[in-house]
């Protein structure tokens, strides 16, 4: 598709002096409204700059120079109908969508009543659920993949309208999601020229093109990313040229300081998206007259000549000239409009300066869902009775962890049509005709955990994603924001890092930063761990403490089949994002097999299991160290008569402090054992708490057994030396018991 280029001289001079009724479809009234919004946007910036200089607000980011493109998008798209992932320069867009200047000032002062975040985020970090403006963050570009997921979510709901219905007795996250969709909605996402260098931008374009998704990407190109000019940022200096090879797109390149041309570009892009042809790309050339932010002085890297050249294209003064020239407003009309805006802003500023700040004791609100408590007894259900003996008088074989995770996913997908599963290789076969013709059996994951699910539920519920981990988590986050329940897979823990920005800066914090305005309870299943004899550095690592360190993210790590089934069901039904860690070595281990506990079996988060009771020594552990500790403890009891109380934490955030405390109070000795590297590992937190809160109960120092502080090596002799072995656990327990 060729790029539609609008002549920069075109629209504002289009009618050559003749009075037109419409300008690219905009009426004269709409143009006056556009100017009012643009002028308001600029003056809100000016007011904020003043307030910052008076130290009445704490940060300022201007939308100056980007007003025309923002207003044009706002006029071409539908507030509360379409979805919006703006970035910090989109003040004019937000005003056009219906955000009041007062609310912007509330964000500046960090007021309790700031509807975007209640004082948690900087100004210009927009979030207005009723207008479908989705909470944004500060990392440049992390909104783009979510916008793709949002569009996918909308399309999924349109194709599965029954998924919106919630049974009255559901007792899960669905009861608290206000799910709506339109058949022809579009999702808008914007970014700066510099941000187009981020990898996530390209992952998003690829996913949108692959899915022919109704997303409008708007690059607001002001020629600079702070002090870095576009020719240093973008190969060849033109992002339009670089993206032009993506299939299924409609492309526009426009003078973004011209509201009429910009409106026309958005109107064409939106039409293309609404008709289902695919995504649109609007490359808008704008200016940045106020430096990057109030902390930046652009005179340090831009000479006056360049800045003056930009000023010739100032969208506010250009539009004013246009209204005068076209006889849409005269001098008096302009003065009157501007006076009205000034008066309105004065009232808004005065009111905002009187607004109350948030209460300090509210800081912990909305880290997790206030509606669904995944630690509560509602998630404590009984396993179904063991299956009866077969005709041959034998009990059915106990199932592996892999079997029960697969069975749990299957039953949950039957129960809840909002569940979608995607990731690398998770589908049975992307080329469905091979399955239909029974030419192949299907793969269903490199560990086969999702085997058969695509065949049973179809390829819009279970599908392969491109090899792009940030895209997996980012898209899932966008879908979950729309009320879906993505259960995605990261193939190996060792490859989770491209998704780290999405996990730490987005997924886990969306509820908190939007003051409960938005939520995204995604489940991320991750194959983790070593003891593989040959896994080496990039298929064997742990590293769970990096994730338990993130507020807002639940982290669970089952050691056996039954716990995996119960915890996975809780993860799916709860209302928080969950990192579900599945130890590869335990997938098909003979330790810990069970019968399937039925379609309603759940285990609450934060509840440990006492694997074996004891009186002499407590071991706190989880994951693949559980069977190794059990083996060592049994030997210790046989040889020395020491009775070890073995606690399997099962869930790491939250964790079951009460069970640990009660056990240590009884045994007075504690060892914390984990597979990850020793220093700064998960056990450090447990050990510190025991030392802090149970000091007077201890008869011996708190000990840890863990991996050496090095990566896992390939040669099994080295792997054995690196990871904690039963004998290491035996010796540490013996020493502690004898202390
Ligand atoms: C991932 C990330 N890296 C760096 C920054 C710091 N930073 C904030 S804005 C910015 C420049 C963005 O430039 P551009 O995308 O062109 O947008 P503009 O501000 O020019 O509108 C940078 C480097 C950030 N917020 N996030
Ligand atoms: Mg820029």
């Amino acid at each position: 598709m060729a790029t539609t280029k609008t002549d920069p001289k075109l629209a504002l001079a289009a009618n050559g002096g003749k009075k037109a009724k419409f300008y690219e479809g905009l009426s004269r009234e709409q143009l006056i409204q556009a100017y009012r919004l643009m002028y308001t946007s600029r003056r809100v910036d000016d007011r904020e700059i003043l307030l910052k200089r008076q130290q009445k607000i704490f940060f300022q980011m201007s939308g100056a120079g980007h007003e025309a493109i923002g207003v044009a998008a706002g006029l071409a798209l539908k507030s509360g109908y379409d979805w919006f992932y703006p970035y910090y320069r989109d003040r004019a867009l937000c005003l056009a969508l219906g955000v009041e200047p007062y609310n912007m000032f509330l964000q500046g002062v960090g007021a309790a009543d700031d509807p975007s975040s209640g004082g948690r985020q900087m100004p210009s970090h927009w979030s207005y659920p009723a207008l479908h403006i989705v909470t944004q963050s500060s990392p440049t570009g992390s909104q783009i993949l979510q916008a793709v997921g949002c569009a996918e979510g909308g399309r999924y709901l349109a194709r599965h309208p029954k998924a919106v219905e919630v049974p009255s007795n559901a007792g899960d996250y669905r009861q608290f999601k206000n799910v709506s969709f339109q058949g022809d909605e579009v999702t808008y996402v914007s970014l700066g020229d510099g941000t187009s260098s981020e990898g996530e931008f390209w992952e998003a374009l690829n996913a949108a093109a692959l899915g022919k998704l109704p997303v409008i990407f708007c690059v607001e190109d002001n020629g600079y990313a702070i002090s870095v000019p576009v020719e240093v940022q973008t190969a060849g200096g033109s992002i339009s040229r670089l993206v032009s090879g993506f299939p299924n797109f409609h492309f526009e390149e426009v003078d973004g300081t011209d509201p009429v041309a910009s409106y026309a570009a958005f109107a064409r892009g939106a039409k293309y998206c609404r008709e289902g042809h695919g995504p649109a790309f609007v490359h808008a050339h704008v200016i940045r007259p106020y430096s990057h932010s109030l902390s930046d002085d652009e005179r340090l890297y831009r000479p006056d000549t360049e800045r003056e050249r930009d000023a010739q294209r100032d969208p506010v003064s250009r539009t004013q000239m246009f209204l005068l020239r076209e006889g849409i407003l005269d001098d008096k009309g302009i003065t009157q409009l501007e006076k009205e805006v000034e008066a309105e802003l004065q009232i808004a500023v005065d009111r905002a300066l009187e607004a109350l700040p948030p209460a300090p004791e509210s800081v912990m609100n909305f880290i997790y869902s206030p509606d669904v408590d995944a630690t509560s007894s509602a998630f404590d259900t009984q396993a179904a009775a063991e299956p009866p003996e077969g005709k041959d008088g034998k009990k059915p074989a106990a199932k592996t962890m892999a079997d029960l995770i697969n069975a749990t996913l299957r039953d949950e997908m039957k129960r809840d049509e909002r569940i979608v599963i995607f990731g690398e290789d998770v589908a049975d076969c992307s080329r469905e005709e091979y399955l239909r013709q029974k030419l192949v059996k299907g793969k269903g994951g490199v560990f086969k955990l999702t085997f058969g699910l695509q065949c049973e539920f179809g390829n819009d519920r279970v599908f392969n994603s491109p090899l792009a981990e940030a895209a997996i988590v980012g898209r899932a986050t966008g879908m979950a924001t729309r009320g879906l329940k993505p259960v995605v897979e990261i193939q190996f823990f060792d490859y989770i890092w491209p998704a780290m920005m999405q996990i730490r800066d987005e997924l886990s914090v969306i509820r908190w930063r939007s003051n409960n305005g938005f939520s995204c309870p995604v489940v991320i299943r991750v194959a983790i761990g070593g003891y593989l004899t040959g896994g080496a550095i990039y298929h064997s690592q742990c590293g769970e403490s990096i994730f338990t360190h993130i507020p807002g993210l639940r982290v669970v790590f089952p050691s056996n089949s039954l716990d995996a089934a119960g915890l996975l069901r809780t993860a799916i039904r709860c209302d928080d994002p969950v990192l579900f860690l599945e130890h590869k070595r335990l997938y098909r281990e003979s330790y810990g097999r069970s019968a399937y506990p039925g379609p309603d079996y759940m285990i609450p988060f934060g509840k440990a299991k006492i694997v074996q009771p004891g009186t002499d020594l407590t071991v706190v552990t989880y994951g693949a160290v559980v069977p190794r500790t059990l083996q060592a403890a049994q030997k210790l009891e046989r040889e020395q008569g020491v009775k070890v109380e073995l606690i399997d934490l099962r869930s790491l955030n939250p964790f079951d402090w009460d069970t640990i405390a009660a056990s240590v109070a009884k045994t007075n000795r504690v060892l914390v054992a984990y597979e990850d590297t020793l220093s700064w590992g998960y056990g450090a937190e447990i050990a510190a708490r025991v030392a802090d809160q149970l000091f007077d109960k201890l008869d011996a120092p708190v000990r840890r057994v863990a991996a050496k502080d090095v990566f896992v090596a390939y040669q099994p002799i080295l792997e054995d030396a690196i990871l904690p072995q039963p004998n290491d656990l035996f010796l540490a327990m013996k020493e502690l018991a004898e202390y």
Side-chain angles (χ1 to χ4, degrees):
M1 170 82 45
T3 299
T4 308
K5 276 202 184 194
T6 309
D7 180 344
K9 298 188 292 310
L10 176 77
L12 291 192
N15 292 289
K18 274 190 243 129
K19 305 271 185 295
K21 258 193 153 160
F22 289 97
Y23 299 78
E24 300 281 7
L26 286 175
S27 68
R28 295 162 77 84
E29 287 69 34
Q30 280 177 304
L31 284 166
I32 296 172
Q33 177 60 6
Y35 180 67
R36 180 185 288 271
L37 290 164
M38 289 170 64
Y39 183 75
T40 304
S41 182
R42 182 65 61 90
R43 296 300 291 155
V44 172
D45 276 326
D46 293 338
R47 286 287 183 150
E48 281 191 359
I49 288 166
L50 207 63
L51 290 168
K52 172 74 175 73
R53 297 214 162 106
Q54 295 166 341
Q55 296 179 2
K56 289 179 175 160
I57 67 171
F58 317 100
F59 187 78
Q60 209 280 331
M61 198 77 195
S62 95
H66 295 232
E67 292 94 343
I69 190 72
V71 166
L75 291 175
L77 303 175
K78 300 186 216 176
S79 183
Y81 183 103
D82 296 319
W83 288 79
F84 299 89
Y85 285 77
Y87 89 116
Y88 47 82
R89 302 253 186 248
D90 278 345
R91 186 188 299 291
L93 167 71
C94 290
L95 291 168
L97 294 175
V99 179
E100 298 287 335
Y102 170 60
N103 287 333
M104 295 186 173
F105 293 127
L106 282 183
Q107 203 180 20
V109 299
D113 287 342
D114 149 35
S116 283
S117 80
R120 292 171 174 195
Q121 288 226 86
M122 289 172 154
S124 298
H125 286 53
W126 325 108
S127 175
Y128 301 97
L131 306 177
H132 292 183
I133 299 175
V134 181
T135 170
Q136 70 154 101
S137 60
S138 300
T140 52
S142 54
Q143 73 279 20
I144 314 171
L145 286 165
Q146 293 172 33
V148 171
C150 171
E152 286 178 287
R155 187 164 74 185
Y156 181 89
L157 290 166
R159 289 180 180 172
H160 296 257
K162 282 189 93 128
V164 175
E165 292 165 18
V166 186
S168 56
N169 60 348
D172 62 38
Y173 75 98
R174 288 175 292 176
Q175 287 177 309
F176 305 95
K177 297 277 164 285
N178 189 7
V179 175
S180 68
F181 65 91
Q182 314 287 342
D184 66 346
E185 66 186 43
V186 306
T187 301
Y188 163 99
V189 62
S190 60
L191 56 139
D193 46 295
T195 299
S196 70
S197 299
E198 291 283 0
E200 292 192 6
F201 167 72
W202 298 94
E203 292 183 21
L205 291 181
N206 189 42
L210 278 167
K212 288 194 176 184
L213 292 166
V215 183
I216 302 187
F217 296 84
C218 176
V219 172
E220 300 181 20
D221 183 353
N222 55 23
Y224 276 93
I226 310 186
S227 68
V228 182
V230 67
E231 71 274 15
V232 176
Q233 188 76 244
T234 304
S238 165
I239 191 64
S240 273
R241 209 160 84 205
L242 293 191
V243 302
S244 63
F246 274 98
N248 302 326
F249 263 87
H250 173 86
F251 293 106
E252 295 277 347
E253 184 170 3
V254 67
D255 177 354
T257 64
D258 176 340
V260 175
S262 299
Y263 173 81
F266 267 107
R268 286 189 293 265
K271 181 166 182 292
Y272 182 85
C273 290
R274 288 195 206 288
E275 287 173 356
H277 303 305
F281 188 91
V282 177
H283 178 192
H285 293 279
V286 296
I287 60 163
R288 194 198 68 182
Y290 282 9
S291 292
H292 173 72
S293 72
L294 263 199
S295 319
D296 174 46
D297 179 359
E298 67 176 0
R299 286 170 303 189
L300 296 175
Y301 52 88
R302 298 184 80 187
D304 287 348
T305 44
E306 186 181 307
R307 293 169 54 241
E308 280 155 17
R309 205 166 52 236
D310 261 14
Q312 308 286 318
R313 293 176 58 225
D314 189 299
V316 177
S317 43
R318 278 189 78 188
T319 307
Q320 187 192 101
M321 294 296 292
F322 172 72
L323 295 180
L324 289 168
R325 201 170 56 231
E326 290 297 308
I328 295 171
L329 277 182
D330 58 14
D331 273 342
K332 239 175 82 190
I334 297 274
T335 311
Q336 174 67 19
L337 179 152
E338 294 180 355
K339 257 169 105 177
E340 284 166 16
V341 170
E342 299 296 348
E344 184 198 344
L345 295 189
Q346 188 60 51
I347 293 167
V349 169
D350 291 346
R351 270 179 74 205
L353 288 176
E354 281 170 14
L356 294 177
E361 54 280 11
S362 69
V363 289
M364 301 303 281
N365 292 351
F366 310 129
I367 299 173
Y368 300 102
S369 170
D371 302 312
V372 179
D373 178 2
T375 69
S376 72
S377 58
F379 288 87
D380 202 349
T381 60
Q382 291 297 309
E386 289 253 323
E389 291 166 2
K391 280 194 202 121
D392 54 2
K394 283 194 198 150
K395 284 209 158 210
K399 304 280 195 203
T400 64
M401 185 188 281
D403 293 334
L404 292 201
I405 289 174
N406 181 270
T408 305
L409 290 171
R410 178 173 279 111
D411 273 351
E412 288 305 295
M413 288 194 81
K414 274 188 211 152
R415 177 182 179 272
D416 177 359
E417 205 176 336
R418 293 194 200 173
I419 297 174
V420 290
I421 289 183
F422 62 101
E424 294 154 17
D425 300 288
V426 301
D428 290 318
C429 181
S430 289
R431 295 181 176 162
E432 274 192 299
E433 65 274 19
Y434 296 164
L435 291 168
R436 268 198 310 273
Q437 294 164 24
K438 302 213 174 351
L439 299 175
V440 297
K441 254 178 79 183
K443 186 164 178 72
V446 293
F447 297 103
K448 304 195 76 58
L449 276 271
T450 50
F451 178 72
L453 299 179
Q454 179 200 352
C455 287
E456 185 162 346
F457 298 102
N459 72 344
D460 56 345
R461 294 193 67 194
V462 182
F463 52 92
N464 286 328
S465 69
L467 205 171
E469 287 76 10
I472 293 170
V473 176
R475 287 165 63 190
T477 302
M479 289 180 201
T481 306
R482 298 294 303 274
L484 296 190
K485 175 64 76 167
V487 181
V488 298
E489 181 175 303
I490 297 290
Q491 202 162 72
F492 290 89
F493 181 85
D494 314 75
Y495 309 128
I496 200 168
W497 311 118
M500 195 61 184
M501 175 85 94
Q502 286 293 334
I503 294 172
R504 187 182 161 96
D505 285 353
E506 298 293 333
L507 180 73
S508 60
V509 70
I510 276 180
R511 187 190 290 278
W512 186 84
R513 78 178 187 219
S514 66
N515 215 9
N516 207 32
F518 291 95
S519 64
C520 48
V522 171
V523 179
I524 308 176
R525 296 179 37 249
V526 190
I528 191 170
Y531 300 109
L532 303 179
T533 55
I537 309 166
Y538 304 106
H539 297 86
S540 303
Q541 301 300 322
C542 284
E544 54 277 7
S545 64
I546 296 168
F547 295 88
T548 53
H549 194 62
I550 301 176
L553 185 66
R554 307 285 195 186
V555 182
V556 292
F557 199 157
S559 73
N560 60 76
S561 313
L562 193 64
D563 288 352
L567 290 167
L568 180 57
R569 185 162 284 109
T570 301
I572 290 172
R573 295 191 190 179
C574 86
D575 199 20
D576 299 315
V578 181
L579 190 70
F580 191 83
L581 301 172
E582 301 170 0
H583 202 291
K584 300 186 282 285
R585 181 61 203 261
L586 298 176
Y587 272 153
R588 292 181 170 84
E589 195 93 319
S590 42
Y591 168 83
R593 294 188 183 189
S594 288
Y596 183 56
D600 285 308
Y601 180 59
M602 288 185 286
I603 298 170
F605 291 163
K607 194 173 162 196
K609 178 162 146 189
I610 297 180
V611 179
Q612 76 160 34
T615 47
D616 301 329
L617 163 69
T618 300
V619 180
V620 179
T621 187
Y622 54 90
V625 183
V626 172
R628 284 160 181 77
T629 308
L630 189 60
Q631 193 187 331
Q634 285 167 348
K635 183 174 172 212
L636 192 63
E637 183 163 359
R638 264 195 325 270
E639 293 181 6
Q640 315 261 330
V642 174
K643 290 187 177 0
V644 172
E645 179 143 297
L646 173 52
I647 297 176
D648 177 358
L649 285 177
R650 308 196 287 193
S651 91
L652 306 185
N653 183 28
F655 73 94
D656 188 347
W657 174 247
D658 291 348
T659 295
I660 297 172
S663 181
V664 174
K666 183 171 67 175
T667 65
N668 314 114
R669 285 172 164 78
V670 62
L671 172 74
V672 190
Y674 49 104
E675 184 183 331
D676 198 4
T677 43
L678 178 79
S679 303
W680 298 284
Y682 184 78
E685 175 63 26
I686 307 282
R689 284 230 193 160
V690 171
D692 180 358
Q693 292 175 33
L694 303 174
F695 182 73
D696 56 354
K697 302 278 193 288
L698 292 172
D699 288 342
V702 185
R703 284 274 150 82
R704 285 176 293 157
V705 170
K708 295 197 167 55
D709 288 336
V710 67
F711 293 90
V712 177
Y714 168 69
Q715 160 62 249
I717 291 172
L718 298 180
E719 184 185 50
D720 280 359
I722 291 162
L723 294 181
Q725 304 299 330
N727 197 45
D728 302 320
L729 293 155
F730 175 83
L731 292 176
M733 285 190 269
K734 181 167 172 288
E735 196 184 303
L736 203 53
E738 288 166 355
Y739 184 91

